[in-house]
Amino acid sequence: MGSHEDRVLRDHAQSLMRAGHIGQAEELLREHAAARPNDHEALALLAQIALVQRRLDDAESLLMRALRGDRKRADYHGLLGEVLTTAGRHREAIGRYDHALKIHGQYDAAHAGKAETYLRMGKVDRALGSLERAPDTPITAIPRLRALTRQGDFEEAITIARRHLPATKASNDVQRGLWFGLGQACEKAKRFDEAFEAFTQGN
């Protein structure tokens, strides 16, 4: 199997993942990885599936193998940061996000992941500070508006959310994050009708 065939198989697996057929995608990728153990992109996709299923040790192991194939992939380091954050290993996660940002300074998912990790650590100021150099995208808007809501800047949080919504070109998870972030800010600001509408859209 050549590189073109590898890419076709990975694209098919990603289509299955997007359609919610996680088990089929995993089976396809595991068979492929057994035959093509150096296909680091397939390993990273398997790590995404393991993360969704909360098999964190498996996800970490797969990503370490993927990184042996290409240590300069910012998305691999960023995904490993997400795995570590989910596992509660926050300081290690921050290090991984920093590594991703050294490779690609405008990688919005790494900026957002780092800020989200600081929020989980209860460090709202650090979360906002880490976003100062981040690109203004729907992905980075989510932790930014959540941090602002936590520190009581409800109106600024609402403004940021509304600037990016409806974000129809973003993934469902990003759209949902923006709507729920808007709903929480509106609720805190006692704008209950707007909060209800935002939560309804998020659902």
Side-chain angles (χ1 to χ4, degrees):
M1 184 181 286
S3 59
H4 173 71
E5 290 83 0
D6 290 346
R7 185 167 59 252
V8 169
L9 183 140
R10 291 193 304 268
D11 288 346
H12 180 50
Q14 287 180 294
S15 296
L16 289 169
M17 291 164 67
R18 283 192 293 270
H21 303 304
I22 301 298
Q24 288 178 253
E26 182 174 15
E27 183 178 356
L28 180 68
L29 287 165
R30 285 204 179 276
E31 288 179 3
H32 173 69
R36 301 277 287 174
N38 294 326
D39 186 349
H40 52 84
E41 292 186 53
L43 294 172
L45 288 173
L46 281 168
Q48 286 182 35
I49 292 171
L51 174 58
V52 168
Q53 296 177 336
R54 291 298 188 266
R55 293 184 284 111
L56 302 182
D57 289 345
D58 192 18
E60 181 178 2
S61 175
L62 287 161
L63 283 167
M64 295 306 293
R65 287 174 58 193
L67 282 165
R68 285 196 289 273
D70 189 347
R71 299 202 66 81
K72 294 186 177 181
R73 286 288 296 260
D75 54 338
Y76 295 177
H77 288 284
L79 184 58
L80 184 51
E82 188 177 350
V83 171
L84 293 168
T85 296
T86 304
R89 295 158 60 185
H90 297 140
R91 294 190 183 282
E92 293 176 75
I94 295 294
R96 281 295 169 178
Y97 286 126
D98 284 340
H99 202 120
L101 292 169
K102 283 180 183 177
I103 297 168
H104 181 9
Q106 293 298 294
Y107 183 31
D108 59 354
H111 280 289
K114 183 178 178 179
E116 180 61 40
T117 303
Y118 277 130
L119 286 175
R120 292 195 184 197
M121 297 168 74
K123 298 182 177 182
V124 177
D125 289 343
R126 294 292 293 274
L128 287 170
S130 73
L131 290 166
E132 287 178 357
R133 296 182 181 179
D136 184 23
T137 68
I139 291 174
T140 59
I142 294 170
R144 183 177 279 119
L145 70 91
R146 289 185 61 212
L148 289 167
T149 299
R150 283 199 194 181
Q151 69 177 22
D153 293 332
F154 310 133
E155 298 303 326
E156 187 176 352
I158 290 167
T159 298
I160 288 171
R162 292 206 180 281
R163 185 167 71 239
H164 288 282
L165 285 166
T168 51
K169 293 183 180 180
S171 71
N172 286 344
D173 285 344
V174 171
Q175 292 180 58
R176 190 179 301 113
L178 286 169
W179 283 116
F180 275 102
L182 174 61
Q184 289 162 359
C186 288
E187 188 174 54
K188 293 287 188 182
K190 301 188 186 307
R191 292 161 62 168
F192 298 116
D193 288 346
E194 292 172 72
F196 179 78
E197 174 62 23
F199 287 135
T200 301
Q201 292 284 355
N203 283 323

